[in-house]
Amino acid sequence: FRKDGFLVLEQFFSAEECDSMRSQIQKIVAEMEVPAHCRTEFSTREEEQLQAQGSSDYFLTSGDKIRFFFEKGVLDEKGNFLIPKEKSVSKIGHALHAYDPVFKQITHSPKVQELGRKLGLERPVVVQSMYIFKQPGIGGEVTPHQDATFLHTEPLGRILGFWIALEDATQENGCLWFIPGSHTNGITRRMVRAASGASTCVEFVGSEPAYDDKQFIPLPIRKGGLILIHGEVVHKSELNSSESSRHVFTFHVMEAKGTTWSKENWLQPTPELPFPSLYT
């Protein structure tokens, strides 16, 4: 992990644990009510991000709620679904770990806490969580990025992602790709809250360098596997053009000891939901 910036732990979670998360998310989607004006299409392309999430309070205030974001091309201009809603969701975020009993139990499970201790985390707190669907045929690409661009700390190196495959993640359905060792070069781009009165509520400072595609290696992983992701390692995933989905539950923790969470981050702890301790 220290050398590459990521670590693959196969069979970290059981098939039963994965299935419990999938059936829970089915219930959440079945009960999903999103007003048409709040339906935003999720994208990782910078100009589309600023247009969709950046102009949306729905995104900016989702840090302490369970909110829904949709794939590109599934909504008409009035925000109505063009395909069944359960096939249109891109991700659900950002506080499943706090408000849903199944995801809370997984996030704080004894084996996750033990892993945190093995990694030397002294005061880890959970900052956000997401369920990612990567829908068959339309699951959008995630462009090369570093998580610290969006979750900035002083000093850097205090953010860690836990990425749990709830189905087999293959090259065909959009597994993760990494540039090994790329977590040692700092970051050159940040997404920050825009000044009040700006046309978007977030903006990017700096720019993402052009990455050499040949440097990326694929990380297929079987159902139940866990990938640990250093906050500065460069990673991406391709469009899912296959006929199978690639469901994932992922959450980020921050080592809070001696760390400042940037006030400019889009995601902020709230009085209703301070960042909870990973250790219970």
Side-chain angles (χ1 to χ4, degrees), residues 138-150:
I138 60 167
E141 66 167 335
V142 175
T143 53
H145 69 284
Q146 299 162 287
D147 293 342
T149 286
F150 307 95

Side-chain angles (χ1 to χ4, degrees), residues 46 146 148-149 152 156 185-191 204-211 232 234:
E46 186 168 310
Q146 299 162 287
T149 286
H152 191 266
L156 280 174
N185 303 327
I187 60 170
T188 58
R189 184 176 78 129
R190 288 182 57 195
M191 186 172 96
F204 283 96
V205 178
S207 59
E208 198 74 66
Y211 296 110
E232 281 108 88
V234 178

Side-chain angles (χ1 to χ4, degrees), residues 22-71:
R22 292 200 58 188
S23 59
Q24 186 69 358
I25 217 73
Q26 279 177 331
K27 290 182 199 146
I28 290 172
V29 170
E31 294 164 10
M32 167 176 79
E33 288 298 334
V34 183
H37 70 277
C38 291
R39 292 173 190 163
T40 58
E41 294 182 349
F42 182 73
S43 170
T44 59
R45 293 194 170 277
E46 186 168 310
E47 61 283 3
E48 291 172 354
Q49 268 186 332
L50 292 176
Q51 206 181 337
Q53 289 100 269
S55 60
S56 169
D57 247 9
Y58 185 78
F59 168 76
L60 205 60
T61 56
S62 64
D64 62 352
K65 299 175 185 68
I66 296 175
R67 293 262 169 99
F68 303 88
F69 304 91
F70 300 95
E71 290 291 357

Side-chain angles (χ1 to χ4, degrees), residues 24-269:
Q24 186 69 358
I25 217 73
Q26 279 177 331
K27 290 182 199 146
I28 290 172
V29 170
E31 294 164 10
M32 167 176 79
E33 288 298 334
V34 183
H37 70 277
C38 291
R39 292 173 190 163
T40 58
E41 294 182 349
F42 182 73
S43 170
T44 59
R45 293 194 170 277
E46 186 168 310
E47 61 283 3
E48 291 172 354
Q49 268 186 332
L50 292 176
Q51 206 181 337
Q53 289 100 269
S55 60
S56 169
D57 247 9
Y58 185 78
F59 168 76
L60 205 60
T61 56
S62 64
D64 62 352
K65 299 175 185 68
I66 296 175
R67 293 262 169 99
F68 303 88
F69 304 91
F70 300 95
E71 290 291 357
K72 282 198 288 193
V74 302
L75 303 170
D76 68 15
E77 62 279 3
K78 294 197 176 97
N80 300 313
F81 291 109
L82 298 168
I83 61 173
K85 68 178 184 179
E86 65 276 5
K87 294 264 188 256
S88 67
V89 188
S90 165
K91 68 171 199 173
I92 297 177
H94 288 90
L96 286 161
H97 64 280
Y99 295 131
D100 182 90
V102 171
F103 293 100
K104 187 175 192 173
Q105 195 282 318
I106 291 288
T107 304
H108 297 279
S109 58
K111 53 193 164 191
V112 167
Q113 298 190 37
E114 184 194 358
L115 184 55
R117 292 191 170 96
K118 280 183 179 166
L119 288 162
L121 300 177
E122 293 185 54
R123 280 182 43 217
V125 295
V126 186
V127 298
Q128 71 156 2
S129 56
M130 292 183 285
Y131 191 103
I132 303 169
F133 292 80
K134 203 77 161 175
Q135 301 280 6
I138 60 167
E141 66 167 335
V142 175
T143 53
H145 69 284
Q146 299 162 287
D147 293 342
T149 286
F150 307 95
L151 307 171
H152 191 266
T153 60
E154 298 279 346
L156 280 174
R158 300 300 172 87
I159 290 290
L160 175 64
F162 289 73
W163 193 95
I164 306 157
L166 306 185
E167 303 176 279
D168 292 352
T170 64
Q171 284 196 48
E172 291 69 43
N173 72 4
C175 70
L176 293 179
W177 294 66
F178 286 84
I179 299 180
S182 56
H183 60 302
T184 57
N185 303 327
I187 60 170
T188 58
R189 184 176 78 129
R190 288 182 57 195
M191 186 172 96
V192 299
R193 288 181 170 238
S196 59
S199 61
T200 58
C201 46
V202 292
E203 61 191 10
F204 283 96
V205 178
S207 59
E208 198 74 66
Y211 296 110
D212 179 358
D213 264 353
K214 294 194 277 298
Q215 289 187 290
F216 283 93
I217 61 160
L219 245 58
I221 187 167
R222 290 190 293 279
K223 174 179 176 175
L226 169 70
I227 302 179
L228 283 176
I229 304 175
H230 188 285
E232 281 108 88
V233 74
V234 178
H235 57 293
K236 66 173 184 174
S237 66
E238 304 292 348
L239 174 78
N240 179 6
S241 50
S242 79
E243 291 174 10
S244 57
S245 55
R246 189 222 67 186
H247 286 209
V248 164
F249 177 57
T250 179
F251 58 91
H252 284 91
V253 306
M254 171 181 75
E255 170 59 91
K257 186 181 179 187
T259 309
T260 308
W261 179 257
S262 173
K263 290 271 187 270
E264 295 180 322
N265 285 338
W266 74 268
L267 174 82
Q268 293 296 328

